[in-house]
């Protein structure tokens, strides 16, 4: 296992189309996160899962966005009716949450760059 | 509401000298801090972290300092190398109230010149 992988790496779509991205985390990691990054900004949290349970969704995540992690392994992020403002880098990260107070560091994938025309 | 701020968008340093990247935060509930490095077209790569119960953590050429009273942390790179040229993000988490998510600063682009 070489790390977090994301597919596709690049996606160009027309406004109004639906897109779906996939993330495969590090195999033993139980937490999976989605972030979005726009030019000149740091990654912004969208949502995260512990195993198959979606524990939190950011208010940035409109109703057009949905994420799943059906078997607690890979995850998909779908954007319906894309808008030009959705153009960004979508990053996936995973971590191993163990008992204790402090979470472990998150390992990021290479990202999917979305361009909405 | 920018809870984590990196006020310097860019920094240029001579090879072999010290690079100091700064980060300020506003949420006193943050108790775990991380630095990530990002090259173009790649995801962020974890560098070093520090818990709020410490004021310093060192890993090779990288040292992170935390000043809780000032809500300030810094990353020192000594000596700086051209391969360190990248965008550096600081991030914070509040696991008690905000789960596992990280709050990132805007990033500082470091350029190390030979």
């Amino acid at each position: 296992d070489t790390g977090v992988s994301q597919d596709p790496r690049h996606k160009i779509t027309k406004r109004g189309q639906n897109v779906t991205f996939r993330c495969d985390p590090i195999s033993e990691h139980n937490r999976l996160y989605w972030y979005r990054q726009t030019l000149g900004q740091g990654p912004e949290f969208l949502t995260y899962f512990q195993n198959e349970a979606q524990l939190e969704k950011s208010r940035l995540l409109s109703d057009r966005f949905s994420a799943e992690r059906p078997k607690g392994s890979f995850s998909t992020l779908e954007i319906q009716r894309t808008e030009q403002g959705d153009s960004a880098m979508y990053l996936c990260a995973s971590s191993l949450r163990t008992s204790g107070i402090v979470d472990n560091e998150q390992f990021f994938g290479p990202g999917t760059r979305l361009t909405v025309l | 509401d920018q809870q984590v701020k990196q006020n310097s968008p860019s920094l240029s340093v001579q090879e072999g000298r010290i690079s100091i990247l700064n980060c300020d935060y506003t949420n006193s509930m943050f108790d775990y801090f991380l630095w990530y490095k990002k090259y173009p077209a790649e995801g962020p790569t974890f560098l070093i972290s520090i818990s709020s119960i410490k004021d310093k953590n060192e890993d090779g050429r990288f040292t992170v300092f935390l000043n809780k009273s000032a809500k300030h942390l810094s990353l020192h790179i000594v000596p700086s190398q051209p391969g360190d040229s990248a965008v550096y993000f600081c991030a914070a988490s509040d696991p008690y109230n905000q789960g596992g998510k990280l709050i990132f600063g805007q990033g500082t682009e470091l350029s190390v010149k030979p």
Side-chain angles (χ1 to χ4, degrees):
Chain A
D1 189 25
T2 56
V4 179
S5 62
Q6 292 187 245
D7 183 70
R9 295 290 306 273
H10 303 275
K11 178 70 177 179
I12 300 174
T13 191
K14 292 182 179 179
R15 187 178 55 182
Q17 298 294 306
N18 299 343
V19 294
T20 300
F21 310 141
R22 177 181 170 121
C23 171
D24 287 89
I26 294 172
S27 58
E28 64 269 24
H29 284 183
N30 53 6
R31 282 198 169 181
L32 187 149
Y33 306 80
W34 286 99
Y35 293 85
R36 180 172 67 189
Q37 184 179 16
T38 53
L39 194 63
Q41 299 297 317
E44 292 178 294
F45 169 79
L46 293 178
T47 188
Y48 85 98
F49 295 83
Q50 179 154 317
N51 300 314
E52 63 274 8
Q54 189 172 17
L55 296 187
E56 187 176 351
K57 292 171 60 174
S58 165
R59 53 188 169 84
L60 291 175
L61 214 64
S62 77
D63 292 343
R64 297 184 296 105
F65 288 71
S66 62
E68 295 182 342
R69 194 182 183 198
K71 297 182 181 179
S73 57
F74 73 91
S75 174
T76 58
L77 177 68
E78 181 183 16
I79 309 174
Q80 296 183 328
R81 306 180 303 282
T82 53
E83 301 173 355
Q84 288 184 327
D86 297 331
S87 295
M89 175 75 83
Y90 289 83
L91 294 163
C92 175
S94 69
S95 70
L96 178 62
R97 174 68 168 180
T98 57
S99 61
I101 298 171
V102 176
D103 205 354
N104 297 314
E105 58 265 20
Q106 297 176 20
F107 295 85
F108 282 80
T112 294
R113 180 165 295 284
L114 173 66
T115 302
V116 181
L117 302 176
Chain B
D1 178 21
Q2 191 77 28
Q3 297 185 72
V4 178
K5 297 180 182 180
Q6 293 175 257
N7 292 317
S8 298
S10 63
L11 175 67
S12 183
V13 172
Q14 204 69 29
E15 181 180 5
R17 305 295 292 268
I18 184 170
S19 295
I20 300 176
L21 296 98
N22 294 302
C23 179
D24 297 293
Y25 62 95
T26 57
N27 188 341
S28 58
M29 300 302 292
F30 288 147
D31 67 353
Y32 192 59
F33 304 89
L34 307 91
W35 283 93
Y36 283 83
K37 173 180 177 180
K38 187 178 185 301
Y39 293 118
E42 295 183 11
T45 302
F46 170 75
L47 268 180
I48 192 169
S49 62
I50 188 167
S51 166
S52 61
I53 61 174
K54 297 184 177 181
D55 55 18
K56 177 182 174 181
N57 189 25
E58 191 171 355
D59 183 3
R61 297 185 298 114
F62 301 92
T63 302
V64 57
F65 295 91
L66 175 62
N67 183 334
K68 283 190 68 178
S69 60
K71 296 191 181 67
H72 177 84
L73 64 155
S74 60
L75 175 69
H76 293 210
I77 306 173
V78 183
S80 301
Q81 300 173 354
D84 296 329
S85 297
V87 178
Y88 289 78
F89 293 99
C90 69
S93 74
D94 166 19
Y96 289 107
N97 297 302
Q98 298 185 18
K101 70 184 180 189
L102 297 178
I103 310 299
F104 284 85
Q106 308 97 307
T108 296
E109 184 171 11
L110 174 65
S111 175
V112 181
K113 301 189 182 305

